[in-house]
Amino acid sequence: MIELLRRFGGKFRRYMVIGPACKLIEVIFDLLTPLVIAQMIDKGIGAHDVNAVIHYGMVLGAMAVIGISFTLVCQKMAALTSQGMGTDIRGALYQHINKLSYAELDRFGTPSLITRITNDVNQVQLAVALGVRMLIRWPFLAVGSMVAALAIDLKLGMIFLICTPAIGLVFWFVMARCIPYYKQLQAKLDRIALICREGLSGARVVRAFVREDHERERFAQAADDQAHTAIAVGKLSSILNPVTFLVMNLGVCAILWVGGIQVNVGELTQGQVMAFVNYMTQTLTSIVYVANLVVVFTKASASASRINEVLNCVPSITDEGNQPVALPKPGNAAPVPALSFDHASFSFGAGAANAVNDVTLELPLGKTLGVIGGTGSGKSTLVSLISRLYDAGTGSVSVMGSDVRAWPLDQLRHVVATVPQRASLVSGTIRSNLTWRDESATDEELWAALDMAQASEFVRNKQQGLDAPVEAGGKNFSGGQRQRLTIARALVGSPQILIMDDSASALDFKTDAALRHAIRERSMRGAAEGGLPLTTVIVSQRVSTVRDADMICVLDHGSVAGLGTHDELYTTCQLYREICQSQLRREELEGQQGSATSTSTPGAACALASTCAKEGC
Ligand SMILES: Nc1ncnc2c1ncn2[C@@H]1O[C@H](COP(=O)(O)OP(=O)(O)OP(=O)(O)O)[C@@H](O)[C@H]1O
Ligand SMILES: [Mg+2]
C-alpha cells in the first residue's frame, strides 16, 4: 500500500493534507461537544436558566455547522484523491500489461489480470478514501476522549482504563484470525472470474456439448468456496459489535453507578457525569471504527501487493537502446535473408520440453516458407519468435539479417505483419479494425488489402461498407469473414514479411488458392516497382496450402523433420509423405510420385533438418 502511495500519491499530496486537516478540526469540535453539553446541563438545566440553555444550544448549533462544513471539504478531498489515484493506477496497470510479453501474460492469466485491474484497484480506492476521511478522525477521537475523560475525574477514569484494553483484546483476537481469510478471498475471486470468463466466452461450445450442468456445477463450487470463506470471516467479525457494545454498556452502567455516588457527595456535577458517559461512548465507538479501518486496510494491502506484483513485473522482452534497423536496398547484389533461424529453441517453462527445438533455416527475400506439422508440433510458437512475442531461449532469430533482439519493437512489428491463428477483431467499424497498422491508410489502400484478402465482396455488400459496425470479438461476422478481415488488416501498411498462422483454415480451397495467388502477385509487383518483394510465411495443416511454397518446414514435436520443396520432401521425408498421403487424392499422389522421382535430389530436403536422420527422412 505504501509503495502504491509513493508511486501514485505524489500528485494528490495537497488533498491528502487538506482533507485530514479539515477532519481534525471536526474532531476538535466533537471533543468539545460533551464539555458544552455539560455546561448546558449544569448552568442551564440544573440552574433552571432558560437563557443559558438557549446560549449553549446556539453554541452547539454553530459548532455543528462549522464541523459539517469542514467534513464536506474533507469528503471532497477524499473523493478527488481516491478517484484520481484509482484512475492513475488502472491506467498504469493497463499500460504495463500491454508491455508484458506473452510469457508474463501466460503466468498471470487473463482473468487474474482483469480482477486486479478492477476489484483490487477498487479495494485500494476505498482504503484511500477512508484513509483521507477517517485515519485521523477515529484514533484522534479515541485518544482525545480518553484524555478529556481522565482530566474530568481520575477515579471514573479507572473504569475507562479497564474497558478500553478489554475491547482492544477482543479486536486483536478476532482480527488475527480474519486477516488470513481476506487474502484467500481475493484468490478465490480470481477463480470465479476465470470460470465465468471461460463459461461465457465458450457459451456456444458449452451448449453444443450439453455441458451446461457441468459448467453450472463448476461455477457453483467456486462460488460456494468463496462464500464459505466470506461466511467464516463474517462469523468471526460478527462477534465484534455485540462484545464491544456489551463492554461499553457495562462501562456506562459502572460510570453511572460510581458517578451517581460522587454526585451525591458533591465531588462531581451531573453534567460532568454526562460528559464522562459521552467520552466513554465516543472512545469505544472509535475503537470499533478503527477496527473496521484495519479490515479495509488489510484487504487493500492484499490487493495492493497483487497490483504491485504486476507493476513490478519486468517485461522480459524490451527494446531499450535499440537503434532503427536499415532495411536492405532493393536489387542489392548480396541480399541478406529476410528471415533466418539459427539453432533457435524455446520452451514454455523451466523443465518443460522445448516447444521449438534447434531450428535452423534461412528464407531469402520475396520467398514463401510453408510450415506444416501436426497439432501441437510448435508451428505457432515458431512463428511467434519472429515478431518477438516470445524470445528464443537459445540460438537466435534474425529478420533482414539483424537479430530480432536488436530491432526496435515498433519497427520490427511494422516490418513483420502477423495474422494470428485465432482471428480477433475488436468492437468498432471495419475501417477502425483495418487501420491498426497504419491509421492514415486511404480507402484505396484498404480496398486493395480487402481485395487481396478476398474480403472485398462481403464488405461491399454491407450498406455502410468500410464503416459497417464490428461487434466485440467480431461476432457479427462468420469465422471465414473474420479470418479474411484479419488478413486484410495485416496487409495494410505495406509489411515486408507476412506471417499467416493457419489463418486460411476457415477458407474454402478456391478462396485459399486465390488468396495465395494475390499475395504472390503483390510480392512480384512490389519487386517490379523497385521496392522489396513481400516475404511470406504460411503456417497450415493443409498440404494444398503449403505445397507451392519455395521452402516447406515440416515440424514434429518442435524439431525440424524436413526442409525443402514439396517434391523434395515427398521423396525424402517420411512424415511429410504420410501427411500428403492422408490429405491428397490418389491422382494427385500418383502424379506426385512421377514428378518426385524425376525432379528431386534425395537427401537434399533434409540437409538442414537436424532431426531428419532420427525420423528416417
Ligand atoms: N502458452 C503456453 N503455455 C504452455 N505451453 C504452451 C503454450 N502454448 C503452446 N504450448 C505448448 O507448446 C506446444 C506447441 O504449441 P503450438 O501452439 O506452437 O502448436 P501448433 O503446432 O501451432 O498447434 P496447432 O496446429 O494446434 O495450432 C504444444 O505442446 C503446446 O501444448
Ligand atoms: Mg498453432
Side-chain angles (χ1 to χ4, degrees), residues 251-568:
V252 170
C253 289
I255 288 170
L256 289 176
W257 188 27
V258 179
I261 296 168
Q262 283 179 290
V263 170
N264 277 345
V265 295
E267 280 181 16
L268 279 177
T269 64
Q270 286 173 352
Q272 281 175 319
V273 174
M274 284 316 294
F276 217 99
V277 170
N278 277 340
Y279 282 131
M280 171 95 168
T281 325
Q282 254 176 8
T283 308
L284 300 185
T285 323
S286 305
I287 294 177
V288 175
Y289 280 106
V290 169
N292 285 336
L293 281 183
V294 172
V295 172
V296 172
F297 280 106
T298 309
K299 282 187 188 169
S301 118
S303 292
S305 51
R306 283 158 53 87
I307 293 170
N308 283 326
E309 195 188 351
V310 178
L311 291 176
N312 293 337
C313 173
V314 182
S316 54
I317 293 181
T318 56
D319 59 356
E320 239 177 81
N322 290 357
Q323 296 302 318
V325 172
L327 295 182
K329 298 262 178 298
N332 193 335
V336 289
L339 194 60
S340 56
F341 287 78
D342 183 11
H343 297 284
S345 296
F346 172 82
S347 115
F348 279 102
N354 278 350
V356 170
N357 190 36
D358 197 22
V359 173
T360 297
L361 63 85
E362 257 188 30
L363 183 68
L365 267 173
K367 300 291 180 195
T368 300
L369 170 71
V371 181
I372 195 166
T375 296
S377 56
K379 303 183 294 294
S380 298
T381 314
L382 179 79
V383 294
S384 60
L385 301 180
I386 303 171
S387 49
R388 280 195 90 193
L389 299 179
Y390 296 105
D391 264 346
T394 55
S396 64
V397 180
S398 300
V399 166
M400 307 292 178
S402 298
D403 192 314
V404 287
R405 282 169 285 210
W407 282 73
L409 279 173
D410 281 357
Q411 192 196 5
L412 177 68
R413 289 173 189 170
H414 192 77
V415 167
V416 180
T418 307
V419 186
Q421 186 163 12
R422 246 181 62 190
S424 90
L425 297 173
V426 294
S427 55
T429 60
I430 293 182
R431 184 194 304 280
S432 69
N433 272 279
L434 291 186
T435 49
W436 275 21
R437 286 174 42 81
D438 180 7
E439 289 192 352
S440 59
T442 60
D443 279 14
E444 204 182 324
E445 286 166 316
L446 298 185
W447 283 114
L450 286 168
D451 275 340
M452 270 177 71
Q454 313 300 304
S456 49
E457 195 183 324
F458 72 82
V459 176
R460 271 186 225 285
N461 284 341
K462 301 238 168 228
Q463 217 176 15
Q464 291 149 286
L466 288 172
D467 294 311
V470 174
E471 287 175 21
K475 65 176 188 290
N476 55 333
F477 290 91
S478 73
Q481 288 173 335
R482 272 201 297 272
Q483 278 196 338
R484 292 182 216 192
L485 287 176
T486 49
I487 295 169
R489 175 170 66 198
L491 289 166
V492 173
S494 311
Q496 272 76 44
I497 298 179
L498 175 69
I499 300 172
M500 296 201 293
D501 184 359
D502 218 357
S503 15
S505 59
L507 306 188
D508 57 78
F509 284 89
K510 198 170 143 222
T511 314
D512 183 13
L515 168 69
R516 279 178 285 118
H517 178 71
I519 291 172
R520 230 184 346 265
E521 263 198 340
R522 147 92 181 253
S523 176
M524 288 186 310
R525 205 172 51 243
E529 286 168 2
L532 285 177
L534 181 67
T535 307
T536 316
V537 179
I538 302 178
V539 173
S540 182
Q541 298 204 20
R542 287 188 199 161
V543 174
S544 61
T545 305
V546 297
R547 66 182 294 168
D548 295 331
D550 301 295
M551 184 194 288
I552 300 170
C553 170
V554 186
L555 279 184
D556 185 25
H557 293 99
S559 301
V560 179
L563 193 65
T565 62
H566 170 77
D567 288 345
E568 287 166 353

Side-chain angles (χ1 to χ4, degrees), residues 25-88:
I25 297 171
E26 189 212 333
V27 173
I28 291 170
F29 282 115
D30 280 353
L31 285 172
L32 291 176
T33 303
L35 294 179
V36 179
I37 292 173
Q39 294 291 320
M40 194 184 199
I41 291 171
D42 293 340
K43 294 189 179 157
I45 299 170
H48 301 288
D49 181 349
V50 178
N51 283 340
V53 172
I54 294 172
H55 169 74
Y56 286 112
M58 283 169 68
V59 171
L60 282 176
M63 283 166 65
V65 171
I66 299 171
I68 286 173
S69 311
F70 280 106
T71 306
L72 287 176
V73 177
C74 173
Q75 208 81 356
K76 182 166 180 180
M77 297 298 128
L80 288 173
T81 313
S82 63
Q83 293 302 326
M85 262 183 77
T87 310
D88 288 357

